[in-house]
Amino acid sequence: MKYLIANWKSYITDRKEANSLFLGVKKTIQKNSGCKVIICPPYPFLSDASESNLTIGAQDVFWEKNGAYTGEVTLDMLKNLNVEYVILGHSERRAYLGETDDIINKKLKAALKAGFKVVLCVGEKQRKEPNVIPSVVADQVKAAFLDIPKSKVCNVVVAYEPIWAIGTGLSDTPDNAYQAALYIKKTIGKIYNPKIGTNIKFLYGGSVNSKNILDFISHHGIDGVLVGSASTKKEEFAKMIKLVG
Ligand code: 13P
């Protein structure tokens, strides 16, 4: 089953609007159950999402269990809200919040230990050659998986999101995304073993919308998409679910 993951980022700020979107998604997936839709709203709307019985993810999490960490949201708090997934390593957090590979590794370890599924984002700022995936992508993958036990890797979905394709309308080509999939699978295969590398789920993200979603989804080796702004538009996202489901 293909993944359709909605990263609302901080686009939606109004609770009523959030609830209207939850309702829309719920209605659409009732009639289109052929894909796995996961909604990742901002923290304040997770409780409402949970009540809507959607599969939900958080856009981040803190690595410590609890304590004096002003402003942080912990894994136990998310568990109480039936959150199943967490997005980690998003390039916006790397760029604006100073998240390092080390921080991402700590979060990944903690989230997997606590039984969450993780959408791990990687991606380069730019490419030297248009069709060659830069080695920084492998570096990000290696750093994230440092000391992650083999048995937990199946709970990670890797999302390749080239930064230049995010929010720009300039999506990568499905063929390049597939090259990234092979590169990432090979990197993970070297860390663990080829079978684990082959089996890891791979998503593409970056300017995916109803016009191009099928090009990615139907491409061999791409298990789904991580969608930003298009997932916050009711009609547009319903259209995307229908196309995939
Ligand atoms: P856009 O779909 O808005 O380009 O964002 C992609 C993204 O960053 C999803 O995590």
Side-chain angles (χ1 to χ4, degrees):
M1 200 183 270
K2 299 281 176 165
Y3 289 85
L4 179 43
I5 307 189
N7 175 9
W8 285 12
K9 308 188 180 187
S10 304
Y11 283 117
I12 305 296
T13 57
D14 180 73
R15 187 176 177 190
K16 267 199 201 123
E17 193 184 347
N19 278 319
S20 158
L21 280 169
F22 293 145
L23 194 66
V25 172
K26 199 176 163 184
K27 275 191 191 150
T28 314
I29 54 179
Q30 270 160 5
K31 290 186 210 134
N32 301 272
S33 53
C35 65
K36 194 164 180 50
V37 179
I38 300 156
I39 307 295
C40 307
Y43 289 135
F45 306 138
L46 283 172
S47 169
D48 287 344
S50 167
E51 274 163 32
S52 305
N53 278 328
L54 296 166
T55 304
I56 48 177
Q59 296 176 20
D60 183 37
V61 75
F62 190 50
W63 64 83
E64 293 288 355
K65 223 177 146 38
N66 59 19
Y69 305 106
T70 302
E72 291 301 326
V73 170
T74 70
L75 289 151
D76 281 349
M77 295 176 199
L78 297 181
K79 210 158 244 181
N80 281 316
L81 295 171
N82 303 317
V83 172
E84 274 182 52
Y85 287 79
V86 288
I87 297 175
L88 294 179
H90 196 282
S91 59
E92 286 149 14
R93 296 199 59 82
R94 293 181 196 250
Y96 307 131
L97 282 305
E99 283 206 4
T100 59
D101 282 335
D102 180 46
I103 290 176
I104 293 156
N105 174 250
K106 275 188 187 155
K107 290 183 174 185
L108 183 59
K109 266 186 205 147
L112 292 173
K113 197 168 168 213
F116 284 81
K117 295 185 184 111
V118 173
V119 180
L120 173 71
C121 303
V122 295
E124 79 281 0
K125 276 201 192 86
Q126 55 195 23
R127 279 186 200 153
K128 280 208 184 93
E129 290 171 68
N131 301 321
V132 180
I133 310 300
S135 59
V136 67
V137 172
D139 295 343
Q140 289 170 348
V141 169
K142 283 184 216 157
F145 281 100
L146 192 71
D147 296 331
I148 300 290
K150 211 189 252 183
S151 61
K152 298 284 185 199
V153 181
C154 58
N155 290 325
V156 183
V157 180
V158 178
Y160 170 64
E161 298 202 303
I163 296 172
W164 50 267
I166 296 177
T168 57
L170 299 168
S171 58
D172 201 355
T173 64
D175 281 344
N176 273 341
Y178 178 56
Q179 288 310 314
L182 294 178
Y183 187 45
I184 288 166
K185 283 168 188 276
K186 203 170 148 194
T187 304
I188 293 171
K190 276 190 202 154
I191 304 172
Y192 298 97
N193 62 53
K195 194 170 171 220
I196 290 182
T198 307
N199 288 345
I200 196 142
K201 300 279 182 219
F202 173 88
L203 311 179
Y204 167 77
S207 297
V208 177
N209 54 42
S210 65
K211 291 197 181 79
N212 60 18
I213 189 167
L214 281 185
D215 299 338
F216 290 102
I217 289 279
S218 56
H219 200 288
H220 172 71
I222 301 179
D223 300 296
V225 287
L226 179 56
V227 186
S229 74
S231 73
T232 63
K233 295 169 189 130
K234 204 172 186 176
E235 306 299 322
E236 173 72 355
F237 195 58
K239 209 167 158 186
M240 293 170 87
I241 297 173
K242 285 178 199 158
L243 282 167
V244 183

